[in-house]
Amino acid sequence: MSDNLSLGWEEWVGLPGLALPAIKAKVDTGARTSALHAVAVEPFGTEKNPQVRFIMHPDPADPSIEVICSAKVIDRRNVTSSNGTAELRYVIASDIHVGGRSWPIEISLTNRETMGYRMLLGRSALTEGVSVVPGESFQQPLLDYAAYKKRRTKKTTTKRPLRIGILTQAPNNYSNRRMIEAAEARGHVVDCIHTSRCYMSINAHKPEVHYDGKALPRYDAVIPRVGSSMTFYGMAVVRQFEAMGVYCLNKAGPIGQSRDKLLAHQVLAAHRLGMPTTAFAKSSHDTKGILDLVGGAPVVVKLLESTQGKGVVLADTRKAASALVDAFRGLNAHFLVQEFVKEAGGSDLRCFVVGGKVVGAMMRTAQAGEFRSNVHQGGTVKKVRLTKEERRTAIKAARILKLNVAGVDILRSDTGPKILEVNSSPGLQGIEDATDKDIAGAIIEYIETSVPNILRASAARA
Ligand code: ADP
Ligand code: MG
């Protein structure tokens, strides 16, 4: 049996499961249920898996420290407070930590803004061997609100249930189903939000995203899965979530930058990343000059809006190349002309980067008689081992474009890795099939380590 523990009428306690390392609590055996200060209390989850999210200000003297908490709801209970008013409260369970001992207690959530103590420890929280000396205070070691100023490390990451929103037009596709599965397996709750059905009021005071007639709740994290046809509106929705202070896995700016092949090429080139020699054009009449810039035929001509290989053509001869460039010009389309990297042999590498690490890589190979390796063009995938240089290139490209999740496509050339494009919503099916890796799990784990638990209102103001 563990040692006896005596508590004074006020005591410093911790609730580590809620990322609350230090709270000054009033111990009151006159009360049955323990209570914790909570504002912005929002239930989420399902009937079978009810959760609640709330904000706690642990330091009564510094309301700028806001801790976001979430926990499973174990009950809803009518609790009568000391001033006699009854209130239906959410009840959660958490381990309490005091004087070197931990034990589970039940806690009701209520607004204690006007009370002297952010937590009340009632008699139901007193476990075997824990007694109260009513005349004394602080029988156990003192703690400090400085605990909320420490930088979070991977080790101190609290695993709380997160409320995650996936912005997508296709909730049932493989990638979304896998991310939902991975998130739910870790106790999180996921909503799919149709990007095009979001609408927003733009104001500085209280930015919100509306959906099907009401404002969306506070999400801990938003995963943007913005398809190329949704780029413009999707970016606006992501920006709105950012304005609300929601953690967005990829931000709007970087999504737009990587989607714009022209811009992405210019940014990557400025950082000296390897790329096929590329020329851009719209209506230049100097076809010869454009072809000379990239070293003459064979060349690859690409429509700027191309995806899935649909607007990518190989011109073997100078004559064919000139005809193509003239034709594209006639269409008044934006296009780029690129050196054909023959030695890639119809294969390219898809490097899946999450949080600055390559979590999986595959080689896509074109079918016979085709140079485009896109799966939509009949390409096949297999697992591949990247060289150090390829790995570095992929990580650097994602970092430069400020993408936390990115699919970096690379050609293997005689002069080292050459980046083709960087995708901000890379699909999971091909890469998970080819590598047998839990890429969805890697994404969710990255979110767990990135979502802030402690918000500093003052920092946001600064
Ligand atoms: P999309 O956005 O339509 O997928 P890409 O630029 O990725 O367009 O090109 C499609 C495919 O064509 C690539 O995956 C690659 O296999 C092949 N390809 C593209 N550019 C080149 C090039 N310069 N040299 C060799 N192969 C290329
Ligand atoms: Mg491609």
Side-chain angles (χ1 to χ4, degrees):
M1 200 46 240
S2 45
D3 296 341
N4 282 341
L5 191 76
S6 38
L7 303 178
W9 67 269
E10 52 179 345
E11 209 64 69
W12 282 93
V13 305
L15 300 170
L18 294 170
L20 294 165
I23 311 166
K24 207 194 278 180
K26 180 178 165 189
V27 182
D28 182 0
T29 51
R32 187 159 58 95
T33 318
S34 301
L36 184 69
H37 172 59
V39 296
V41 178
E42 283 182 356
F44 67 106
T46 57
E47 215 168 301
K48 274 196 184 133
N49 180 29
Q51 309 276 346
V52 65
R53 184 179 191 277
F54 57 96
I55 291 172
M56 156 77 177
H57 301 109
D59 183 352
D62 183 0
S64 76
I65 307 176
E66 293 195 337
V67 183
I68 302 168
C69 305
S70 50
K72 198 175 166 77
V73 174
I74 58 167
D75 197 9
R76 285 200 79 183
R77 220 176 272 163
N78 245 310
V79 180
T80 309
S81 67
S82 55
N83 62 20
T85 49
E87 184 192 21
L88 189 59
R89 295 184 190 169
Y90 289 99
V91 179
I92 60 171
S94 178
D95 277 359
I96 188 168
H97 196 96
V98 52
R101 270 185 70 175
S102 285
W103 68 95
I105 64 168
E106 291 187 354
I107 306 166
S108 69
L109 302 178
T110 186
N111 190 327
R112 295 179 59 83
E113 219 140 54
T114 57
M115 318 266 189
Y117 295 82
R118 291 303 193 224
M119 188 174 184
L120 175 79
L121 266 190
R123 59 181 182 277
S124 69
L126 302 177
T127 187
E128 222 186 302
V130 178
S131 54
V132 180
V133 200
E136 303 285 341
S137 62
F138 302 125
Q139 299 294 288
Q140 300 302 325
L142 300 180
L143 303 170
D144 199 313
Y145 295 121
Y148 296 98
K149 294 187 177 114
K150 279 195 197 128
R151 270 193 76 94
R152 198 165 55 137
T153 65
K154 245 196 168 153
K155 268 195 196 139
T156 61
T157 299
T158 8
K159 292 263 165 92
R160 64 183 176 92
L162 297 175
R163 192 171 197 181
I164 299 172
I166 301 182
L167 264 183
T168 178
Q169 288 296 93
N172 291 321
N173 74 15
Y174 177 93
S175 303
N176 293 329
R177 276 189 284 120
R178 282 284 301 127
M179 287 191 290
I180 293 168
E181 191 177 276
E184 288 179 349
R186 288 162 175 82
H188 308 308
V189 176
V190 183
D191 292 339
C192 282
I193 308 161
H194 277 267
T195 316
S196 63
R197 272 163 46 191
C198 292
Y199 52 105
M200 301 159 278
S201 66
I202 316 280
N203 66 61
H205 174 62
K206 195 179 178 227
E208 288 176 334
V209 175
H210 289 257
Y211 191 73
D212 289 352
K214 49 179 190 281
L216 284 173
R218 283 165 230 256
Y219 287 104
D220 292 299
V222 160
I223 304 178
R225 301 288 303 181
V226 177
S228 53
S229 62
M230 256 310 142
T231 306
F232 183 74
Y233 197 64
M235 280 172 66
V237 177
V238 175
R239 269 197 304 273
Q240 187 79 355
F241 279 112
E242 287 173 31
M244 293 163 67
V246 178
Y247 170 80
C248 295
L249 184 57
N250 278 339
K251 292 198 165 170
I255 292 171
Q257 181 165 276
S258 63
R259 196 53 62 69
D260 180 342
K261 282 190 190 190
L262 255 167
L263 179 55
H265 270 74
Q266 288 169 323
V267 171
L268 293 175
H271 286 84
R272 301 184 186 289
L273 276 163
M275 283 184 300
T277 307
T278 303
F280 287 113
K282 184 169 163 63
S283 61
S284 163
H285 290 280
D286 187 8
T287 304
K288 179 178 177 300
I290 295 170
L291 293 177
D292 287 345
L293 276 180
V294 300
V299 295
V300 178
V301 184
K302 298 182 187 181
L303 278 175
L304 215 52
E305 303 79 38
S306 174
T307 57
Q308 307 176 344
K310 279 174 196 152
V312 178
V313 196
L314 173 63
D316 282 312
T317 61
R318 184 137 198 142
K319 207 169 151 200
S322 300
L324 254 179
V325 169
D326 290 344
F328 276 9
R329 187 166 48 222
L331 288 171
N332 203 21
H334 295 275
F335 60 95
L336 58 86
V337 181
Q338 208 164 54
E339 139 202 27
F340 175 54
V341 181
K342 186 163 189 278
E343 63 270 28
S347 292
D348 72 354
L349 308 171
R350 161 56 64 91
C351 312
F352 206 106
V353 182
V354 176
K357 289 197 190 91
V358 177
V359 295
M362 65 177 173
M363 178 179 267
R364 297 182 295 200
T365 303
Q367 60 176 321
E370 175 59 66
F371 79 103
R372 295 166 299 175
S373 60
N374 303 65
V375 175
H376 286 93
Q377 303 299 337
T380 52
V381 299
K382 68 166 197 273
K383 188 169 134 181
V384 72
R385 232 193 117 73
L386 299 180
T387 65
K388 257 196 191 137
E389 200 190 359
E390 286 159 355
R391 187 177 301 271
R392 262 206 307 268
T393 302
I395 292 169
K396 194 171 169 194
R399 194 185 68 227
I400 287 166
L401 294 173
K402 299 194 172 66
L403 292 169
N404 293 315
V405 168
V408 183
D409 294 343
I410 289 177
L411 289 176
R412 276 186 169 161
S413 85
D414 292 343
T415 51
K418 293 194 167 162
I419 296 180
L420 272 184
E421 59 175 340
V422 182
N423 194 323
S424 60
S425 297
L428 297 187
Q429 184 149 28
I431 194 85
E432 288 198 335
D433 283 351
T435 61
D436 230 5
K437 281 189 177 154
D438 180 11
I439 306 289
I443 293 174
I444 301 300
E445 274 168 24
Y446 177 72
I447 291 174
E448 287 172 349
T449 62
S450 307
V451 167
N453 279 335
I454 299 175
L455 293 186
R456 295 210 115 248
S458 54
R461 249 184 266 122

